[in-house]
Every structure is written in C-alpha cells, then in structure tokens.
Amino acid sequence: MKFRWRLILYFGFAGVVASVVLTLLRMIESDFAFDFFTICGNFLLNALSAYVLTVLVSVVVMHTLIKINRVFPWRKNAVARFCADVIITPLVAMLTMLPLAYLTYYIGLDYVYPDLKKHITNELMTALVVDLILVGIYEGYFFFTLWRKSLIRNEQLEKENMTARYEALKNQINPHFLFNSLNTASALIHEDPNRAEEFIDEFSKIYRFLLEHQGKNLHLLKDELTFVRSFLSLQEIRFGKNLRSTIEVEEYKLKHLIPTLSLQLLVENAIKHNQVTAEKPLSIIIKDEDDMIVVKNTLQPRSESLKSTGIGLNNLNARYEMLASLKPVFLETGKEYVAKLPLIKEE
C-alpha cells in the first residue's frame, strides 16, 4: 500500500470525531460547569488540535509501516512482520505523540483536564488508537489485495493450463498424428505383431494420461517422465534409429513437480522443427541438472520452413510465473537447443 496524502487527510477527521466525543464526555463529567463560550472554545480548539495531531501521527506511522513492509515482508518473515506491527508501530506512534502532547498542554489546548499527567495519558491513548486503526487498514488492504491477486492468478493459471491441455490434445488427435500412428500400427501388425502390440499399448497410455490428469496444474516429475517415455516410444517406432533418446534423472528428484505436459511439449517441438533422417539422426536427452530438468536436442532445422506460433513456450513461461514465480531457460548453443525447466519442490 503506497503512501497517500488524501487518505491521511481524510483520516484526520476520525480524530476530530473522537475529540468531540471525548470533549462531550468531559463536559458531562463536570456537569457543564463552563459558560457557553468556554464550551464552544473547547470543542473548536480540541477538534482542531485532534485533527493536526492525528494527521501528524498518521504520517509517521504510515511511513513506518511502509519501511517495515520493505524490511519484513509477510511472504519472507511473517513472525518478524507481526512483531514489528505490534511493537514498533505503537512505540513510534507514542514517541511521536509525546512531544506534541506536551506542546498542546503548555499552549493551553486542554481546558477540561488541567492535570499534565491526565493530558499526556489521554493523548498517548489516542496515539495508540490511531496506530491500531492505521495498522488494521494497512494490513487489511494488503491481505485484500493479496486475496484479489490470488483469485486473478488462479483464473489466469486455469486459462493457461486449459490452453496447454488443449494444445497437447490437439497435437495428439490432429489428422497427421493419427494418420502416421495408424499407418505405423497397421504396418507393424503384419511385420512384427509384438511391436504392434507394444505400439498400441503406448498409444493408449498417451490418451489415458491426458484423460486422467487433465485437471491438474502440476505433476510429479516421475509421472511426466512416464508419459514422455510413452510418447518417445511411439516416435522411435515411427522414425526407427533416426531418433535417439536418453533419460537420466536422479531418483530423489522424481518427487519434485513440474507443469503438466511441459516435457512432452519440448520433445514434440524438437521433433517438429528438426530433421529426423538417417543422415541426420535426432538426439534428445532429458536429464537433471541442479534444481532443473534439462531437455536438449541436436539443432538441425528442417529445410522446409515450419512457422512457430510460440504459443507452447509462452504458455510454459506464463504457467511457471503463476505457479512458482520461476522462469524456464531456452537457449541455442550452436549445435544444440537446450531447455531448462525449474523443478518445483512439493511443500
């Protein structure tokens, strides 16, 4: 929440209302033992004094809250932030009010309580109330904004996830993919019934995975690798020795999470945009590297120009940003195309 002068100036009227109420209570306590002009003077001067003091204390407290937010953000250290709110801001409010209370007393802005101690106590209590209300407004605004951003983020995430699922499903049921798959299955039935059975089994695994996991934003790396193996098996049967794949991932990292269908997207892009021939076999390697899962392939662009919409990679970037505020890395090394996806640890 940014500092806003207009809010502070409006908030000063809350001090005026409190002052009028307190002055009225003081008058009742003294059975209105003052003449009319004295009563009016009390109301006017106390209201003016309360407005100025409330604004001054509010300014200091707001600046303190903004600094506390920078040093102790809720997301990083909630305990320290809570302690700062309940300890530092009240002290700042009272220390700000103390010299102002002395000043208002000695220039005669409190006619009802001539006793200095009572006047100081009353003003410090007022500072505490001001601090309590401001902290409540500030933190309430923060959590409301956080809640609203969370709703928007979830909506965006669902949209991006639906786009990813749609793109993956569309790629798997497009006529070209189905035509190639059915042709391969048909040929294998006569040539090698065992491989044909294996092909159909892997083919069914792809659709089973899509149907069973379509509503999830994140998957275990283990499940994603299982799906990619099925996808690669189909492609290796189709391209034969022209397509070579290697998957090497440490066991303990299989429990980490990655966005749904992210590995399949990268593998599919590699096959789609590169030559896969006997002269230029395509190599795809999937391995772990620190806190990343790396997918690299030999860079050998097709001679025919395949226009890339960039939807897949943009979608992947957006999903990472919303799911974990992380960014994948995409780069070309000259001979290879490398994609690095951050692994998300399950909380």
Side-chain angles (χ1 to χ4, degrees), residues 212-271:
E212 290 178 353
H213 301 83
Q214 59 180 324
K216 295 181 179 180
N217 297 320
L218 289 169
H219 272 148
L220 290 174
L221 177 59
K222 178 182 177 181
D223 294 336
E224 285 292 309
L225 288 174
T226 299
F227 176 69
V228 165
R229 285 190 179 97
S230 295
F231 182 78
L232 280 169
S233 293
L234 290 188
Q235 303 304 324
E236 286 170 355
I237 292 172
R238 175 187 168 193
F239 291 105
K241 295 181 180 180
N242 300 337
L243 178 63
R244 304 162 187 172
S245 65
T246 305
I247 299 178
E248 296 178 353
V249 179
E250 293 188 61
E251 184 72 23
Y252 76 95
K253 292 184 180 179
L254 298 178
K255 295 181 179 180
H256 293 339
L257 303 169
I258 60 172
T260 304
L261 302 173
S262 52
L263 293 180
Q264 186 267 348
L265 167 69
L266 297 175
V267 170
E268 189 170 43
N269 276 352
I271 297 172

Side-chain angles (χ1 to χ4, degrees), residues 73-136:
W74 278 108
R75 291 184 181 89
K76 293 184 178 179
N77 199 332
V79 175
R81 175 58 175 271
F82 177 78
C83 292
D85 279 348
V86 299
I87 296 174
I88 295 177
T89 60
L91 285 175
V92 168
M94 288 192 292
L95 289 174
T96 304
M97 179 63 83
L98 189 59
L100 297 174
Y102 274 101
L103 179 63
T104 55
Y105 179 81
Y106 284 113
I107 63 177
L109 291 182
D110 194 336
Y111 293 104
V112 182
Y113 284 152
D115 182 67
L116 176 61
K117 184 178 179 181
K118 288 184 178 181
H119 175 75
I120 296 296
T121 301
N122 177 69
E123 296 300 292
L124 291 181
M125 290 301 295
T126 301
L128 282 175
V129 172
V130 169
D131 172 74
L132 179 64
I133 295 173
L134 272 179
V135 170

Side-chain angles (χ1 to χ4, degrees), residues 5-16 51 54-55 58 129-134 137:
W5 272 106
R6 182 177 295 180
L7 175 64
I8 295 298
L9 294 176
Y10 286 151
F11 188 68
F13 288 106
V16 174
Y51 182 85
T54 301
V55 168
S58 299
V129 172
V130 169
D131 172 74
L132 179 64
I133 295 173
L134 272 179
I137 292 174

